[in-house]
Amino acid sequence: MITSDWPDRLRERGLRVTRQRLAVLEVVAAQPHKPADAIHSAVKEQLPEITVQSVYTVLHDLTARELLRRFDPPGSPACYETRTHDNHHHAICTRCGRIEDVECVHGEAPCLQAPASLGMQIQVADVVFRGICRECAAASEGLVGSGTAEA
Ligand SMILES: [Zn+2]
Ligand SMILES: [Zn+2]
Ligand SMILES: [Zn+2]
C-alpha cells in the first residue's frame, strides 16, 4: 500500500491529523465500498482500542469534508470509498452484493437531465446498475450443470 499524502489532505480540509483518521483513510483506500463495521474490523488491526462509534464519527467527518464518498446501496448499509468528485456510478451484484465502479460518461452531477416540468433544482441523479457478476453467473451455471441447484 502506498502511503499517500493523507496528512496534507486532512490539513487542507481543516481537519486535525489523527491516527484514527489516517487508519480509516488507509483502510478505505485499500478496500473501497465497505460498510462501517467492516472498516471497523480492519482498522482494529492497527488500533485495537478503537470503537465502532469512533469509526462512525471519523467516517462522518471525512465524508463531510469530501475526503470520502458515501454510497448507499439500496437495502444495504452505507459504504465508503476514497474516490470522490468524479460522480462515478456503481454496479451491484444482486447475488453476492459485490460493488463495482462504473465511470460516469457525463463526469459530474447531475448525470441525467430531469424534465423541466419537475420544477426542482436537481443536485444528484443516482444511477445504480444491478445485475449478476461473472463469478455468480459462473457459479450458478456450475450448479445447473451438476443438477444440485436449490430453489
Ligand atoms: Zn456476485
Ligand atoms: Zn465507487
Ligand atoms: Zn453519469
Side-chain angles (χ1 to χ4, degrees):
M1 192 197 320
I2 302 158
T3 312
S4 67
D5 52 351
W6 291 126
D8 288 340
R9 298 185 59 189
L10 283 166
R11 281 187 218 103
E12 273 168 22
R13 313 280 158 112
L15 288 171
R16 246 174 357 104
V17 180
T18 65
R19 291 186 334 134
Q20 284 89 341
R21 285 174 179 156
L22 290 177
V24 166
L25 283 165
E26 277 173 21
V27 162
V28 176
Q31 306 170 42
H33 311 129
K34 290 279 189 293
D37 56 347
I39 296 167
H40 177 238
S41 331
V43 170
K44 263 204 323 204
E45 287 172 21
Q46 295 176 53
L47 304 171
E49 73 285 0
I50 195 165
T51 62
V52 190
Q53 194 49 52
S54 358
V55 169
Y56 272 108
T57 307
V58 169
L59 287 170
H60 176 269
D61 292 345
L62 296 177
T63 306
R65 304 298 170 103
E66 299 182 345
L67 284 166
L68 291 182
R69 174 171 158 185
R70 175 186 156 131
F71 168 58
D72 292 275
S76 304
C79 53
Y80 296 86
E81 63 190 325
T82 51
R83 200 179 148 183
T84 53
H85 298 109
D86 62 356
N87 196 49
H88 72 269
H89 307 304
H90 293 101
I92 304 171
C93 174
T94 53
R95 298 243 173 107
C96 67
R98 168 208 299 262
I99 299 172
E100 299 284 350
D101 286 337
V102 180
E103 301 298 330
C104 178
V105 176
H106 190 62
E108 59 187 62
C111 168
L112 304 173
Q113 207 61 50
S117 60
L118 191 63
M120 252 189 219
Q121 247 198 8
I122 302 301
Q123 288 155 335
V124 177
D126 276 329
V127 179
V128 176
F129 299 80
R130 283 191 244 203
I132 293 167
C133 75
R134 212 173 287 140
E135 274 159 42
C136 289
S140 61
E141 270 170 35
L143 285 176
V144 171
S146 64
T148 53
E150 286 168 38

